Amino acid sequence: MFLAREYGVEVVAADWWIPAEDAAAVFAEAGVAERVTAVRAEAHVLPFEPESFDAIVSIDAFEYFGTADGYLPYLVRLLRPGGQLRVATP
């Protein structure tokens, strides 16, 4: 929500544990529903085409799925050339 609200960018919020409908309701209440799309997806089977994103941000989650062998190259393939990957974790 922060990126959509503060920078006006389009955001895809992927989460395995929160149903997309529940997340979408939160985004609507926050006034960013037109810029944030909720997707329920497991991190190892993401429903996105290669080179779909300019940036990928993982917040408080990468430590749960990112240690799998080959995960980082899998994730990076979703970035467009010159895209950025950021991870924020405790």
Side-chain angles (χ1 to χ4, degrees), residues 1 4-5 11 23-38:
M1 291 187 299
R5 185 180 298 126
V11 175
V26 171
F27 303 147
E29 186 176 320
V32 295
E34 69 281 353
R35 291 186 305 270
V36 183
T37 302

Side-chain angles (χ1 to χ4, degrees), residues 10-85:
E10 292 182 35
V11 175
V12 176
D15 196 301
W16 177 240
W17 300 109
I18 300 172
E21 300 80 17
D22 293 352
V26 171
F27 303 147
E29 186 176 320
V32 295
E34 69 281 353
R35 291 186 305 270
V36 183
T37 302
V39 175
R40 191 167 194 181
E42 200 282 323
H44 298 94
V45 190
L46 295 169
F48 310 116
E49 296 294 320
E51 299 184 6
S52 293
F53 300 102
D54 294 314
I56 295 174
V57 179
S58 175
I59 301 171
D60 293 337
F62 197 81
E63 64 271 22
Y64 299 111
F65 53 77
T67 59
D69 290 343
Y71 186 74
L72 194 55
Y74 166 75
L75 193 61
V76 168
R77 76 176 181 78
L78 300 177
L79 289 170
R80 292 185 181 110
Q84 296 189 22
L85 173 65

Side-chain angles (χ1 to χ4, degrees), residues 2 8 31 90:
F2 174 80

